[in-house]
Each structure stands twice: as structure tokens, then as C-alpha cells.
Amino acid sequence: MEAVLDEVPIGRRSLERRFRKALGRGLAEEIRQSQLARAKRLLVETDLKVATIAVQSGYCDFRHMAQAFRQGIGISPSAFRQRERAPH
């Protein structure tokens, strides 16, 4: 969030209001959704280690990504990978 605020010429509250008005969610939630979407894509499309995917998706470590997966999807990143790669 701080990196975004460093790049825009408006304050935090103004930016949050604009995000909520445009997307129906705040900047922090948009960042979390983008991180999760990137991690999901990398899990399905690559053979990278889960810890590497965590860092490439913007998480500080695997533990934070695993927590986001449990909260957002209800399963671990490894279980998500297995589920999505299984023949349907």
C-alpha cells in the first residue's frame, strides 16, 4: 500500500474513497485480490516452488500466502495446485 501511495499525488483517504467508489472495495483489498490471483495463476501454470511463487506474487513469505489462501479459498496453495491440475 505504501508503494502505491508514494506514486500518486493524493492522500490515503482520498485514494481509498476513489477505489471504493470505482471498484466497491478498498485499495488494500484490491492488492490482496491481485496477489491471490497472481499466485493462483503461477500455481497452475508453472512448476515453481510454492515459496518462490509467494515472493513473486508479492507476499513476504510462504506463510503469509498460505494464510491468504486459507482465508480466501479455504485450502492450502499446494492443495489448490493439485485440485486445479487434476484432470476434470
Side-chain angles (χ1 to χ4, degrees), residues 3-21:
V4 173
L5 291 169
D6 288 343
E7 296 295 322
V8 294
I10 61 175
R12 179 183 220 126
R13 290 184 60 86
S14 295
L15 184 60
E16 280 288 335
R17 277 194 294 264
R18 289 181 185 188
F19 257 84
R20 286 198 189 285
K21 185 176 181 181

Side-chain angles (χ1 to χ4, degrees), residues 20-37:
R20 286 198 189 285
K21 185 176 181 181
L23 301 175
R25 61 183 172 265
L27 175 58
E29 180 60 24
E30 182 63 22
I31 291 168
R32 282 190 293 271
Q33 291 296 321
S34 294
Q35 287 175 310
L36 193 59

